Structure formats: C-alpha cells, structure tokens
Amino acid sequence: MTSLPGKRILITGAASGIGQEACRLAVLAGAEVVGVSRRGDRLQEFAAEIGNRFTPLSLDLELASSAEAIGECGRFDAAICNAGRGCTRMPLETDFPLLEVMMRANVLTAMNTVAGVLPPMREHGAGVLVVVGSILARAPTAPWRAAYSASKAALAALVAGWRQQLVPEGIAVKLVCPGLTATEFQSVANPTGIELPKLSAPFMTPQTAKEVAEIVLDSAYSECDEVYTRPESAEWISGVYSSLAAGVDPLKNVLLP
Ligand SMILES: NC(=O)c1ccc[n+]([C@@H]2O[C@H](COP(=O)([O-])OP(=O)(O)OC[C@H]3O[C@@H](n4cnc5c(N)ncnc54)[C@H](OP(=O)(O)O)[C@@H]3O)[C@@H](O)[C@H]2O)c1
C-alpha cells in the first residue's frame, strides 16, 4: 500500500466499515488521520485502539455546521468522502421523500465535507479529494436500491464537475466505485431484513472492508480518476456502456422471475 508519512488525511464514515479500515490502514502507513462520523462512542473506542495519530471528530455531515467544524481542523493533504448509506425500496415504490433522504445521506454529506476541506487546499494549490461512490452509480443493477443508486449517480456527476474545476488548481478528484462489500451497510439499508429479489447480475460475492479500503487509499495517489474496487468490474461496466451506446439496455433482464 502507498506509504503516507507526514500526510494529514480526513476520512468520513470512520465509525465502521470501509471508512474505519481506511483510517486504520492510513495510520499504519504513517498518516495523521481525522476520522468523522456521528457515533462519537465508536470513534472514541477506535481511537483508544489505534493510538494518537487518529483524532475522532463526531459530526453529522448532513448539517451545514459540519463544514465549518472540518474547516477549523486546518489543511488536509487528502480527504476521503466515504460517509453514506443505502435503503431498500423498489423503483415504483420510491417516493420523492425517500430520494431526498438518500441525497442528504450520500450527496450532502460529501458536499459538506468538500466545503470544509477545500478552502485551505485551494489556498495551498494542492490536495486530493477521494469520493466513495458505488458501482450502482454506473450500472443500477439492484432495483431495490433505486433511490440509493440515483443519489450515487448524482454524486458521480458532481465529482466529474469538481474535477473539471479543481484539477487546473492542482487538486486531484477521484471517484472510487465499490461493489458489494461486507460491512454494516446491508443491515443499515435493510434493517427489517426484507427478502430481496434474485438477480442475474455478476459479482455477488462481497469484498472485505479492508480490501476496499486499501484500494480507496491507493487511489488518492494513483493516476486513475475513476477506480473500480474489483478488477473485473471495469470491463463489465465498459460492456454495459457499449450496449447502451448500441441502443440496448443490458440491465432489462437483470431481475429473475
Ligand atoms: N458495503 C457495500 O456493499 C457498499 C457498496 C458500494 C458502495 N458503498 C459505499 O461505501 C461507503 C461506506 O459504507 P460501508 O459499506 O463502510 O458502510 P457502513 O459500515 O455502514 O459505514 C457508513 C459510515 O458512514 C457514516 N455516516 C453515515 N451518515 C453519516 C452522517 N450523516 N454524518 C457522518 N457520518 C455518517 C456512518 O457512521 P455514523 O452512523 O456513526 O454516522 C458509518 O461509519 C458508503 O458511501 C457506501 O454507500 C458500500
């Protein structure tokens, strides 16, 4: 993994899953890490385990005040915008309030993080933003994640815009797209354990949070603008887009009867 001595890194969603593994790996690689989540008790437990190169910061990133609190932490070399969550509802049952909940959880949290870290990065003319999206942003194969997929697609569009504006100022902007990953994500998205339809989509074996976190951190200092955490995903996504360009929806038969 990339060595990170002397780097200051902000990582959101640090209380669990991919974010917590990214904090652990970054500290082990020599970075000073500020980890953000709402659950302060989880962050304190992790801080006690990992040592004093990790600083816990308990914030709700849906609140505008979180950007100010992040801004008060000084300049970061890189920010990993990872906080987010899913929900479980089929497209025709998805109403606008649910879409709004997902936009707040997945888009507003990233926007507030970026608003917090960006002023000192721009002043310095350097920095890296890594945004954790989802493969569902590029190919919405799981119809019960319609609102979640739409929010991650919106996030991916914003990331493309941020990149256009910020790269000329020396700030790199990366999008990392995980697929199924074994974290609390599934139980947060589906707390009552609704039985999900069967799919003919590929890659249903989960990656570990550690595998994904390592790729997320490596992406910060790689040449790639967009990274898929599974090696086979990029090729599959390129097939999806070729089919769309040829006028055929490759996802129309994804739900099995
Ligand atoms: N697991 C998957 O299959 C999968 C696949 C593709 C993409 N992803 C993406 O990967 C990212 C990390 O998810 P994960 O799988 O690691 O799930 P996770 O374990 O549930 O982690 C999500 C983290 O986000 C934090 N968070 C949520 N809302 C927040 C808010 N308003 N303010 C601050 N922190 C907030 C949570 O902490 P608190 O609750 O304490 O705030 C939690 O630490 C998410 O963006 C997710 O969409 C996951």
Side-chain angles (χ1 to χ4, degrees):
M1 217 202 75
T2 318
S3 164
L4 302 167
K7 301 281 187 201
R8 280 194 87 226
I9 304 185
L10 180 91
I11 300 180
T12 71
S16 56
I18 297 166
Q20 187 160 95
E21 285 308 314
C23 290
R24 188 189 310 281
L25 291 168
V27 165
L28 292 174
E32 299 269 343
V33 176
V34 175
V36 178
S37 264
R38 290 165 300 186
R39 286 169 293 175
D41 52 343
R42 286 273 198 113
L43 293 177
Q44 290 296 347
E45 275 168 36
F46 182 65
E49 176 198 330
I50 201 76
N52 61 9
R53 282 214 307 275
F54 175 82
T55 304
L57 183 60
S58 174
L59 294 174
D60 182 346
L61 292 166
E62 291 187 24
L63 303 177
S65 56
S66 65
E68 287 160 35
I70 290 171
E72 284 163 13
C73 294
R75 185 173 69 80
F76 291 97
D77 298 289
I80 315 285
C81 306
N82 163 77
R85 70 183 178 88
C87 64
T88 304
R89 211 172 303 166
M90 292 297 277
L92 291 176
E93 284 78 54
T94 294
D95 54 12
F96 193 78
L98 183 67
L99 188 57
E100 195 172 346
V101 166
M102 285 293 100
M103 292 293 285
R104 296 181 74 82
N106 295 310
V107 180
L108 184 57
T109 53
M111 291 178 84
N112 282 333
T113 306
V114 170
V117 295
L118 211 44
M121 283 184 180
R122 292 182 92 175
E123 208 169 298
H124 190 67
V128 184
L129 303 176
V130 177
V131 177
V132 177
S134 168
I135 196 162
L136 294 180
R138 297 299 190 205
T141 40
W144 58 87
R145 297 262 187 269
Y148 171 75
S149 304
S151 71
K152 288 290 189 177
L155 182 60
L158 264 179
V159 167
W162 289 337
R163 186 178 298 129
Q164 285 162 34
Q165 277 194 286
L166 291 171
V167 166
E169 295 187 27
I171 298 167
V173 184
K174 316 283 181 163
L175 181 69
V176 181
C177 295
L180 192 59
T181 310
T183 65
E184 293 171 15
F185 178 91
Q186 314 304 332
S187 58
V188 171
N190 186 7
T192 55
I194 298 166
E195 197 178 334
L196 303 174
K198 301 251 177 304
L199 288 184
S200 66
F203 320 140
M204 298 306 283
T205 315
Q207 287 183 291
T208 66
K210 186 177 174 197
E211 278 174 294
V212 173
E214 198 166 323
I215 295 165
V216 168
L217 283 177
D218 280 343
S219 75
Y221 295 101
S222 83
E223 293 300 311
C224 294
D225 293 324
E226 181 152 332
V227 173
Y228 293 84
T229 63
R230 285 173 187 275
E232 64 276 47
S233 293
E235 198 184 331
W236 182 69
I237 289 288
S238 111
V240 166
Y241 277 79
S242 305
S243 298
L244 288 172
V248 179
D249 180 358
L251 307 179
K252 71 181 173 196
N253 295 321
V254 89
L255 265 185
L256 295 174

